[in-house]
Amino acid sequence: MSKLWGGRFNKKSDWLADQFTFSISYDHRLAKYDVIGSIAHARMLSKQGIIPKGDSAKIVAGLKKILLQIETDKFKFDPKAEDIHTDIQNRLKFFIGKPADKLHTARSRNDQVVLDMKLYCRDEIAKLVAAITYLQKEILEFANKNKDVIIPAYTHLQAAQVVLLSHHMLAYIEMLERDKTRLFDCANRTDFMPLGSCALSGTSLKTDRVYLASLLGFSQVAANSMDVVSDRDFIVELIGDCAMITTHLSRVAEDLILWATKEFDLVDIDSSFCTGSSIMPHKKNPDVLELVRGSSAKVTGLLAQIHVLLKGLPLTYNRDLQLDKPALFDSVDTAKNVLLVLSKIFASMEVKKGNAAQRVLDESFFTVDVMDYLVKKGVSNRDAHDILGKMVRECLDQGRPLSSLSLGELKQYSLLFGADVKKLFNPQMSVKIKSSLGSTNPNLVAQQLNQWSKKLNA
Ligand code: ARG
C-alpha cells in the first residue's frame, strides 16, 4: 500500500530499508488512539471551515468503522504499511475514497504520533494504578489474615529486632502508594495536547487547538510546537515509574524468596507459583519470584535506553524517536505483569506461624528494649549501649541467655535494673512497648490496617 510521502521520489524504497524503518509491527498497538485522534481532528477541521462538513462526516463515519474493528478485535494491521498512521489512512481511503485525503490537513505524523503516545500513556497509567491497588489489597488481606504474627526484621541481613508481620506488609503498601503518586504526576505532565503543532512550526490554517484539547480530554494545549514534537519526557517518566515499580517488586520478591528458604522457613509459597528441578526431586523453587526480581533489570535497562536515545537528539523530530515505543510498551507490559503475578502470590501464600513464633524468642532481639529501659531511668543512651554490649558479650562467652541473669547479676551491670526488666525478653512485649508514630505498636498497626482498608476500598 502507498506511503504517505511517495510523491517526492522517483524510485521505490529498498526492501531492506523498508524492513528497517517500518514500525507497524509494534506501533499497531496505537491503532485505537490514532483513530480517536483523527476523529477529533476531522471534527475540528470542519468546525473551522478548513474542510467541508460533508467530507468530515464521511471521514468520521469511516474512522468509526475502523474503531469498531479495533474494539471487536477484527482489526488486522497491514504489515506492508510503514506505520499505524499510514495503515489507518490507507484503510480510510479504502472505505470512503477521496474525502480521506483531506484528513491529514494541518497535521503531521510528528504531532500525531505524540498524541497517540499520550493517549496510550493516559490509559496505561490508569491500568497501572488499578493493578497497584489490586496488589495493595492482596497484601493488606495477607496482613490482616496474619495480624498477630511477629517476625524477625533485619538490617544488613542480620537479625535486628522483632516486628509485626503486618507492619512489614504495610511497608510494601506505602512503597506502592508512592508509585501511584508518581504515576499521577506523570499523568499531569502528559496532559498537554500536542496536535496542531504539525511538523514543528504550527500551521497557517485556522485550526482550533483548544477545541481539539477539549474533544480529546486534555486540560491544556502544549505551548510550543517545537518542544511538543520532540518532547518524550512523559515516556521517560512512565518508563521510570515502571522501573521504580519493578525495583520495588524486586525487593518484595527478594524478601519472599529468603523467607521461603529452609534457612528462614517463614512462608510457604503456593506450589502453583513454584517450579521443580529436573534433577533434584525434592526441590520447590521460587522461579516465579526470581523472574519478578529479574524483570526489574529489564525495565531499568529500558530506562537507560530511553535516556541514551534522547540525549544527543537535536530539536525537533528525528526518526530515532520511533524507538521510544518498544521500550515503553515493554516497560508497561512488564510492570503490569509483575504486579499481577505478585498479587496472586500474596493471595495464596501461607505463613509458617510456628516457625515465626520460635524464631522471635531469640533474646538478642530485645537488647534495644532493655537499653530503652535504662534510658527511661536516666541513663544516657551511650552508657546504656555500653552496658548492654557488655551483657551480650559476656552472656555469649558463657553460652547463656540474657534472661538467665539473676537480679543480682543484672545489678552488677547497673544498679538501676529491677526485676521488671525480665518481662522485656518477650516478643509480644517488644512490639507492644513501641509507641512512636509509624512504629510496629499493635494498636498503631491496627489503625493503619484500618485506614488502608478504607482508602483502598473507597
Ligand atoms: N513511526 C514514526 C514514529 O514512531 C511516526 C512519525 C514519523 N514522522 C516522520 N517525520 N518520519 O516516530
Side-chain angles (χ1 to χ4, degrees), residues 5 21-24 26-27 30 82-86 108-114 117 199 232 317-325:
W5 40 266
T21 53
F22 282 18
S23 53
I24 187 74
Y26 46 88
D27 70 11
L30 298 172
E82 182 181 353
D83 53 26
I84 190 61
H85 324 296
T86 310
S108 151
R109 280 180 299 164
N110 297 356
D111 55 347
Q112 188 179 357
V113 73
V114 180
M117 290 295 271
R232 297 295 184 277
Y317 181 84
N318 302 271
R319 191 62 173 262
D320 316 45
L321 292 175
Q322 176 166 290
L323 297 175
D324 60 357
K325 287 163 207 67

Side-chain angles (χ1 to χ4, degrees), residues 391-407:
M391 281 168 64
V392 169
R393 179 165 36 81
E394 291 179 357
C395 281
L396 277 175
D397 288 349
Q398 295 162 27
R400 57 189 289 206
L402 285 168
S403 62
S404 71
L405 293 171
S406 67
L407 189 55

